[in-house]
Amino acid sequence: MILEPNKDNILKAAEEIKRGNVVAFPTETVYGLGADCTNPIAVSKIFEAKQRPSFNPLIVHIHSISQMNDIAYIEKEEINKLVEKFWPGPLTIVLPKKDIIPDIVTAGHTTVAIRMPAHQVALELIEAAGTPVSAPSANMFGFLSPTKPEHVQKQLGCKANIILDGGDSSVGVESTIIEFTDYGAKVLRPGGLDVEEIKTVIPNIEYNDVSTDKPNAPGMLLHHYAPSVQIKFIEEVDPDGLDLSKAGALLFDGSNYNYNFSTKRILSSSGNYNEAAANLFKYLHELENENIELIVVERIENRGLGIAIMDRLTKAANRYR
Ligand code: TXA
Ligand code: MG
């Protein structure tokens, strides 16, 4: 059930979490499906609802920077600098975990992923629950991430008894995940925080394409985030040979590809990458609901949030290769 995010409903959702159940809640990146991260049975309900493989660890959400000390060891000064600059916000950091975090959350890893979301409803919910909240995106495993409460309802239906309505997610792609190791820091998943921003605090952070078919992060799987309709990059199809009445298009600023598609969406008519990221999953959800057999997407430049957008589109297209 989709509920207004007033005080009573936030408390009601927090009670559900305390009781060991799951609730869906808004964040600035995508909607999450949350449970008490210290309760392994509660966390198992997340995996069950999403049909998520148990080798995929979850992100733990906190409501204050100091709550990080309850669940992880902070061994480097640059970690404090990083979170003071970017939290709350679309940045997840992977740190050595404390014993309070059960293995099911980390899929047996000795590290835990942590994030403080920049959404008032999420912060109030976590605080009222009295525990950090583990939450993946609130979608069925491998499918489109939700950026509106209706997206959660569509995929999870009655599996999420409470869906707190926080409006459209303003960032629209998942958080950037970075890991600290003995050798330094590296990016595990590009996301809503531009890696160039992170470099202002950690100039030598490592970033390469880490996609693999043996991931420790589903964001690192070769295919993921896919709509239920086949998706291809536009230059890999011949638009002149296509039945355009059965094809929809997802274009960047609308200045290219003037074909007569059955339907189309423009990510940002002013060519703004942040606006494009915020619209990405929303438009893919809309397109998969249209009466079409193929979604063709335009490649965009690999810079700024364009990196996270291309990561999601490439993984969606890989599903249909
Ligand atoms: O923006 C986001 O990050 C959203 C919202 C809800 O916060 N959450 C999200 O969760 O995208 P999910 O489960 O879809 O992706 C979590 C990512 C996965 O790629 C997971 O493997 C990685 O975090 N992860 C979690 N714990 C990890 C760990 N200990 N080491 C490496 N990667 C980890
Ligand atoms: Mg996800």
Side-chain angles (χ1 to χ4, degrees), residues 23-27 29-34 61 134-139 146 152 156 162:
V23 301
F25 64 97
T27 85
T29 58
V30 301
Y31 276 68
L33 187 67
H61 296 69
S134 47
S137 50
N139 53 279
V152 182
L156 295 178
I162 294 183

Side-chain angles (χ1 to χ4, degrees), residues 25 27 29-33 50 52 55-59 61 92 94 105-106 109 111-113 115 117 135-139 173-177 179 188-189 216-220 224-225:
F25 64 97
T27 85
T29 58
V30 301
Y31 276 68
L33 187 67
K50 284 192 57 137
R52 177 178 172 112
F55 61 76
N56 284 325
L58 304 174
I59 295 173
H61 296 69
T92 295
V94 175
V105 171
T106 64
H109 291 266
T111 52
V112 60
R115 171 166 120 77
S137 50
N139 53 279
V173 289
E174 295 83 350
S175 58
T176 303
I177 303 178
E179 176 180 45
L188 295 181
R189 175 178 76 182
N216 65 0
M220 293 164 74
H224 204 57
Y225 310 111

Side-chain angles (χ1 to χ4, degrees), residues 119-177:
H119 197 297
Q120 202 49 38
V121 176
L123 296 174
E124 283 175 26
L125 172 69
I126 300 162
E127 186 164 19
T131 172
V133 171
S134 47
S137 50
N139 53 279
M140 296 302 285
F141 178 72
F143 288 87
L144 290 177
S145 302
T147 57
K148 287 170 170 289
E150 293 78 15
H151 297 160
V152 182
Q153 179 104 47
K154 183 173 85 174
Q155 283 195 30
L156 295 178
C158 57
K159 291 182 197 160
N161 279 336
I162 294 183
I163 304 169
L164 286 176
D165 185 349
D168 287 13
S169 297
S170 60
V171 173
V173 289
E174 295 83 350
S175 58
T176 303
I177 303 178

